[in-house]
Amino acid sequence: QAWVARARAALDNYESNIRITELLAQQYGFRAYFLWQPCLVYGAMPVGPFEKALQAMGEDQRAITSVYEEAERRSVASGKFIFLGHVFDQVSEPVYVDWVHLAPRGNEIVAAAVANRLLPLLLPKSAPKSPSGDSPSGERPPFQIGLK
């Protein structure tokens, strides 16, 4: 139960920081986007011997799991931040170099996930028509960054 209370307090603080940043963005004319990073001990990523060894060296997993569960709930409920805690759920290769830092492949996967979530928010709703006029609706096709 103590873990849950601490997780809620951590997310209360995080959401307070979001509110402050949103006020600054409104005042100074910029857009801010918030993302919750993935973590080795959260999600459904297939865990091999490498990841098991890393998890054994890591911090108390109950605390981290409690915070991630609360973050996932609040991300869905508020829509204020993008939760990336499941970005590796279908990845079977190692993506961490230690229990918190990503290897190049992990960074590539996260970068693609971030781009796929943010690009629709950043790109204009309609693309200008081409000189040949081949886009009568002016709609931009869906954008998806793939991985090699």
Side-chain angles (χ1 to χ4, degrees):
Q1 193 70 335
W3 297 117
V4 173
R6 290 180 185 151
R8 287 182 182 145
L11 268 293
D12 288 345
N13 186 59
Y14 184 71
E15 289 179 327
S16 292
N17 289 332
I18 288 174
R19 285 189 295 280
I20 291 167
T21 304
E22 287 174 334
L23 290 171
L24 289 168
Q26 187 177 37
Q27 180 67 31
Y28 293 102
F30 65 89
R31 291 188 288 182
Y33 301 95
F34 307 91
L35 302 113
W36 193 272
Q37 72 183 41
C39 178
L40 176 63
V41 299
Y42 190 79
M45 183 177 106
V47 179
F50 180 72
E51 290 81 13
K52 284 181 185 174
L54 290 176
Q55 287 177 345
M57 294 185 302
E59 297 292 318
D60 191 330
Q61 294 179 25
R62 291 174 300 162
I64 295 168
T65 300
S66 295
V67 171
Y68 270 72
E69 287 170 350
E70 184 69 18
E72 185 172 13
R73 276 192 294 277
R74 292 197 194 189
S75 175
V76 170
S78 73
K80 295 283 187 177
F81 61 98
I82 297 168
F83 182 79
L84 297 172
H86 293 289
V87 73
F88 299 129
D89 283 0
Q90 304 300 315
V91 177
S92 58
E93 62 194 283
V95 292
Y96 287 91
V97 295
D98 60 29
W99 71 278
V100 292
H101 297 100
L102 296 174
R105 180 67 175 146
N107 283 320
E108 181 182 18
I109 293 167
V110 169
V114 168
N116 286 329
R117 295 292 299 273
L118 291 183
L119 279 174
L121 303 173
L122 298 172
L123 295 174
K125 297 284 185 218
S126 62
K129 292 181 183 176
S130 70
S132 65
D134 60 356
S135 177
S137 68
E139 291 181 14
R140 186 178 293 275
F143 189 86
Q144 185 75 18
I145 291 183
L147 297 171
K148 297 176 188 174

